[in-house]
Amino acid sequence: MDVRTICLGILTRGDATGYEIKKLFEDDGYEHFVEASFGSIYPALNRLTEEGYVSVREESQEKRPDRKVYSITPAGRTAFIASLLKPLPEDRHRSPFVFAMLFADLLPASRVSAMLDAYIQQAEEKLAHLNAHDSASKSSGERFVTGFGRTIYAATLEFLRTHRAEIEQEQAAQAAE
Amino acid sequence: MDVRTICLGILTRGDATGYEIKKLFEDDGYEHFVEASFGSIYPALNRLTEEGYVSVREESQEKRPDRKVYSITPAGRTAFIASLLKPLPEDRHRSPFVFAMLFADLLPASRVSAMLDAYIQQAEEKLAHLNAHDSASKSSGERFVTGFGRTIYAATLEFLRTHRAEIEQEQAAQAAE
DNA sequence: GTTTGCATGTAAACGGTTACATGATTGG
DNA sequence: CCAATCATGTAACCGTTTACATGCAAAC
């Protein structure tokens, strides 16, 4: 899913600035599934404007920088929905952590434990973040996605806690050689 | 995790050609966590050779194209382990499916159901692929990773099956308006 | 007084994918 | 006969990240 489509999607929920688009994603916990940086959002928004998929109005603010508030146009809405009707690209998961675990036997036991600790802590934080969100005032799609995220993180934590010993013990054996 | 590091990692398990590196990853089910295409593997291998992290020997074969078999050098092994001792980059998950579910209310009910069906089927296939693999003749790290994958796919399927109605019903309500 | 938040943008660099080129063999 | 497997490689293209530039205000 490219940044263009992501921007259009968010704008179907209401007007927003480029800055807000980024914040919205982070606050709502969707950054677990889709990402975008400012360096890609701003150019995407400019291109969408040129193409007529969004419109802009500039707002001057006191004590704050000027902002450009974007609205999706009917053409943009149509294009967005069309993009969801096309076959979706497959998921991509890249996990340096999992890759590293593959080679646990080459690493010092302390490093493996540290990696596990860090990864577990991150998962806990992400889960807490998802739980912190009130499920009220959300569409069913949003509740579904939040629930999905919670399920994945919970399963991840459960697995890591019950199985970490299996690679940590291997380490102990190695070290004792 | 860049392709260079991935190649080095695989070569710690034994010599391989660029072609085999790709196949190994797919067969072992690691493509769920790390990806690499030929277009990135071959240049990576050439660069690693220049840098002295791997060595090559060319093998002429009858009835098959020539192959270049790569071996990791001591320097490569050291560099690989060093890369796993540095702080790991964070996981990246990009799921066009999850993104689309966020906007289920904008789509025809049939499309939402079709997306769910397709995603569930894919998860089933990936899970079956992981289960098909004998856990014998694997390092503890490999068993750990395979188990982790199984857990995630199982949790995914469980969630989707028990919660899909929540977004499909919304659709029904919309359609009835 | 430094960091954080608000706010937009550009440019270079990067890493990677896609498509293409080549070509023999085996299996369906 | 066609598709798949084996096998390597290049080049164009793509989207994105990173770093930088700017600047004020509020919070700590």
Side-chain angles (χ1 to χ4, degrees):
Chain A
M1 222 80 284
D2 54 28
V3 175
R4 283 163 49 80
T5 310
I6 292 167
C7 290
L8 282 181
I10 295 187
L11 293 174
T12 64
R13 301 307 188 193
D15 297 354
T17 65
Y19 189 85
E20 285 167 351
I21 287 174
K22 179 127 203 288
K23 291 292 148 199
L24 279 171
F25 248 66
E26 286 167 9
D27 294 348
D28 292 354
Y30 305 141
E31 81 279 16
H32 306 298
F33 306 106
V34 205
E35 285 165 74
S37 63
F38 288 128
S40 55
I41 289 173
Y42 289 121
L45 250 13
N46 286 329
R47 216 183 114 196
L48 288 168
T49 307
E50 283 168 30
E51 292 166 343
Y53 293 141
V54 304
S55 62
V56 210
R57 58 172 191 280
E58 254 151 298
E59 288 181 1
S60 307
Q61 301 183 119
E62 286 164 25
K63 316 211 170 186
R64 286 264 159 253
D66 292 359
R67 34 195 267 138
K68 291 187 177 179
V69 182
Y70 292 89
S71 310
I72 194 165
T73 63
R77 191 172 283 268
T78 304
F80 175 65
I81 291 171
S83 72
L84 296 186
L85 295 177
K86 287 191 299 185
L88 297 177
E90 276 208 27
D91 283 17
R92 292 190 164 186
H93 301 267
R94 306 204 166 197
S95 178
F97 165 75
V98 172
F99 176 76
M101 287 304 105
L102 240 25
F103 302 97
D105 58 301
L106 303 179
L107 301 171
S110 59
R111 174 61 179 151
V112 175
S113 293
M115 282 174 168
L116 284 160
D117 288 338
Y119 197 77
I120 286 171
Q121 203 200 315
Q122 273 176 41
E124 280 169 349
E125 282 163 13
K126 287 173 181 169
L127 182 56
H129 185 224
L130 283 174
N131 283 329
H133 258 266
D134 51 333
S135 58
S137 78
K138 277 193 182 177
S139 75
S140 64
E142 289 170 308
R143 284 193 303 275
F144 181 83
V145 168
T146 304
F148 189 36
R150 272 198 272 261
T151 299
I152 297 300
Y153 283 118
T156 295
L157 287 167
E158 225 278 310
F159 179 86
L160 294 180
R161 286 177 183 140
T162 59
H163 293 278
R164 62 180 295 173
E166 289 160 27
I167 31 173
E168 288 179 313
Q169 278 169 1
E170 166 95 358
Q171 284 310 305
Q174 288 272 119
E177 271 173 22
Chain B
M1 222 80 283
D2 55 29
V3 176
R4 283 162 49 80
T5 310
I6 292 167
C7 290
L8 282 182
I10 295 188
L11 292 175
T12 63
R13 300 309 188 192
D15 296 355
T17 66
Y19 189 84
E20 285 167 350
I21 286 173
K22 181 127 201 291
K23 293 291 149 197
L24 279 170
F25 247 65
E26 286 167 8
D27 293 347
D28 291 353
Y30 305 141
E31 81 278 16
H32 307 297
F33 306 107
V34 204
E35 285 166 75
S37 63
F38 287 128
S40 55
I41 289 173
Y42 288 122
L45 251 12
N46 285 328
R47 219 184 112 197
L48 288 168
T49 307
E50 282 168 31
E51 292 167 345
Y53 293 141
V54 303
S55 62
V56 210
R57 58 171 191 280
E58 256 152 296
E59 289 182 0
S60 307
Q61 302 182 119
E62 285 164 27
K63 317 212 170 186
R64 285 267 159 250
D66 291 359
R67 35 194 267 139
K68 290 186 178 179
V69 182
Y70 293 89
S71 309
I72 194 165
T73 63
R77 194 172 280 270
T78 304
F80 175 64
I81 291 172
S83 75
L84 297 185
L85 293 177
K86 288 192 299 186
L88 296 177
E90 275 207 29
D91 284 16
R92 289 187 167 190
H93 301 264
R94 304 204 166 197
S95 178
F97 165 75
V98 172
F99 177 77
M101 288 303 105
L102 241 24
F103 303 98
D105 58 301
L106 303 178
L107 300 172
S110 59
R111 174 63 180 148
V112 175
S113 294
M115 281 174 169
L116 284 160
D117 288 339
Y119 197 77
I120 286 171
Q121 204 200 314
Q122 272 175 44
E124 280 168 350
E125 282 163 13
K126 287 172 182 170
L127 182 55
H129 185 225
L130 284 175
N131 284 329
H133 258 269
D134 52 333
S135 58
S137 77
K138 277 191 180 178
S139 76
S140 64
E142 289 170 307
R143 284 194 302 274
F144 181 83
V145 168
T146 304
F148 189 36
R150 273 198 272 261
T151 298
I152 297 301
Y153 283 118
T156 295
L157 286 167
E158 224 279 310
F159 180 85
L160 293 180
R161 285 179 182 138
T162 59
H163 294 277
R164 62 179 293 172
E166 288 160 28
I167 32 172
E168 287 179 313
Q169 277 170 4
E170 164 95 357
Q171 285 307 306
Q174 288 270 119
E177 269 171 23

